[in-house]
Amino acid sequence: MYNDFFKSVTDQSEKFFSPAIQFNQLVAKNIEQLAKIQLDAAHSFTETSVEQLKTAAEVKDVKSFIDFNASQLSAVNKLSQQLIEDGQKLTQLGQEFKDNLETISNETVKAAKV
């Protein structure tokens, strides 16, 4: 008798807390992916900046100055492309989060109707 009661309470509490657990897991996964995108962007930006500092330190004459200016343009193009790619990654991450959240919501509504 008590076993059935405790099993029933356990089953009900699992059903009750399941959406919250799924949501927390989704948020944790999303934060992890967002942090990775941010760290990758910071690494890329830092790497490009250090390369440009090294190139600037090598400027000794007019030719090296012209080469430095050309490398600046290349660095700006590289960073612009990186920003576009990061924006696309963030958009995809947001869309996946929205889709997963809708799935959890729909499952919760279905379970509540039963």
Side-chain angles (χ1 to χ4, degrees):
M1 180 173 148
Y2 289 116
N3 287 339
D4 292 338
F5 173 74
F6 286 121
K7 184 178 181 337
S8 174
V9 169
T10 302
D11 290 344
Q12 288 176 356
S13 63
E14 283 179 9
K15 287 179 185 178
F16 180 77
F17 289 113
S18 178
I21 292 169
Q22 288 176 333
F23 176 76
N24 288 339
Q25 290 171 340
L26 178 62
V27 169
K29 178 184 169 196
N30 205 47
I31 289 171
E32 178 184 9
Q33 291 174 339
L34 179 60
K36 184 181 181 328
I37 291 171
Q38 290 176 329
L39 287 172
D40 290 345
H43 180 266
S44 177
F45 179 76
T46 303
E47 192 175 82
T48 302
S49 297
V50 169
E51 287 174 12
Q52 289 306 300
L53 284 172
K54 288 179 182 178
T55 305
E58 295 172 359
V59 172
K60 294 180 177 45
D61 57 11
V62 174
K63 182 184 180 329
S64 61
F65 181 71
I66 292 170
D67 292 342
F68 172 69
N69 283 333
S71 71
Q72 287 287 90
L73 183 59
S74 174
V76 168
N77 286 336
K78 180 181 173 183
L79 289 175
S80 296
Q81 183 62 34
Q82 185 67 41
L83 285 172
I84 291 169
E85 290 172 8
D86 289 345
Q88 291 170 342
K89 288 177 188 177
L90 290 172
T91 301
Q92 181 181 359
L93 183 64
Q95 185 63 42
E96 288 174 2
F97 182 78
K98 178 189 153 294
D99 293 343
N100 290 332
L101 195 58
E102 284 179 351
T103 301
I104 291 170
S105 297
N106 290 338
E107 289 174 359
T108 303
V109 168
K110 286 179 186 176
K113 288 182 180 179
V114 172

